[in-house]
Amino acid sequence: MSTDSPPDAGSLYQAALDYLVRYAATEAGVRRVLLRRIDRWARAQPDADAAEPMVDAARAAVDGAVARLAEAGALSDAAFAESRARSLVRNGQSMRSIQMRLVAKGVTPALARSVSAAGAETELAAALVLARKRRIGPFRATGEVDAEVRAKEMGIMARAGFARDLAQQALETSREEAESRISDLRR
C-alpha cells in the first residue's frame, strides 16, 4: 500500500487474500492485520487531520472484507481451529494448552472447547509426545528414578497443562507402548 493512495475496500480485500495465501488465520486475526495496515498508512500521512476521514472509511470496510472472505470460504474459524488443534496435539500439547492458544488467536471459547475435546487416549498420546521430546518417563536414559527426578518430570507435565493422573500414567507407560500410542496419534 503506497503512502499516496488511501486504503479502500478493494485494496483491503486484496491485502487479506495475500495474507491468507501465506498464513492460516482466524477472522479476528485477519481483522487485526488489516487494521494494522490502515494504521501504518495513517502514520505515513503528512497531514493526519486530512487523512482521518479516509482512515475511518477504511476501518469501516474491514468488516466487509472479512465477511466476503468468510462467505467465499477462504476464511473459516472452525477449519483453522480444527487444523491447529490437530497440529498442536501431535506436538505434545495438552487440551488446556490448545484451548488457550486457540482463544488467543481469536477463536471463540466454545469453538476452542469443541475442537479440542479429544478423548483420554488422545490426551495420553499427546503427553507421551511431550515425554519423548523432553526425554522423561519412558524415554528417560536411565532406568533409576528417585523422588527428585519424579517430581521434576511431574512438574514438566503439569506446566504443559496435563492433569496429574494422566501425567503419572504417561510417565509410567512402557517405552514400547508409548511408541505405539504416539504412532497411532500420528496416523
Side-chain angles (χ1 to χ4, degrees):
M1 193 178 297
S2 69
T3 57
D4 55 323
S5 64
D8 60 0
S11 67
L12 290 172
Y13 182 78
Q14 187 60 48
L17 278 176
D18 293 343
Y19 183 78
L20 289 173
V21 165
R22 297 181 69 195
Y23 307 103
T26 61
E27 289 181 20
V30 170
R31 191 171 287 112
R32 278 192 301 267
V33 166
L34 295 178
L35 290 172
R36 279 195 312 261
R37 187 177 193 92
I38 293 166
D39 290 342
R40 267 194 319 270
W41 178 85
R43 283 192 307 271
Q45 300 310 302
D47 186 4
D49 293 333
E52 192 62 35
M54 292 176 272
V55 169
D56 291 340
R59 286 190 176 150
V62 167
D63 288 333
V66 170
R68 277 180 61 195
L69 288 166
E71 287 173 18
L75 189 59
S76 169
D77 283 359
F80 172 84
E82 289 169 6
S83 173
R84 185 58 57 99
R86 262 192 317 275
S87 174
L88 291 172
V89 81
R90 287 181 180 157
N91 284 318
Q93 298 290 317
S94 68
M95 296 306 138
R96 271 186 224 142
S97 172
I98 292 170
Q99 288 175 13
M100 290 187 309
R101 287 170 182 257
L102 291 175
V103 169
K105 287 287 188 181
V107 174
T108 64
L111 180 58
R113 277 191 302 276
S114 71
V115 299
S116 64
E121 293 298 313
T122 304
E123 182 87 349
L124 177 59
L128 290 168
V129 169
L130 176 66
R132 183 167 67 183
K133 283 181 173 182
R134 297 298 303 268
R135 295 186 178 141
I136 61 174
F139 302 99
R140 173 182 328 107
T142 61
E144 286 295 315
V145 180
D146 60 6
E148 185 179 335
V149 170
R150 181 64 163 195
K152 285 181 181 180
E153 290 180 351
M154 287 297 290
I156 290 169
M157 298 299 259
R159 284 187 296 279
F162 292 104
R164 181 182 176 89
D165 295 342
L166 189 99
Q168 285 177 334
Q169 184 180 357
L171 294 174
E172 293 168 359
T173 302
S174 70
R175 188 181 192 120
E176 295 78 30
E177 183 182 349
E179 292 288 357
S180 174
R181 287 181 185 269
I182 291 170
S183 177
D184 291 344
L185 176 68
R186 307 260 169 167
R187 288 186 195 145

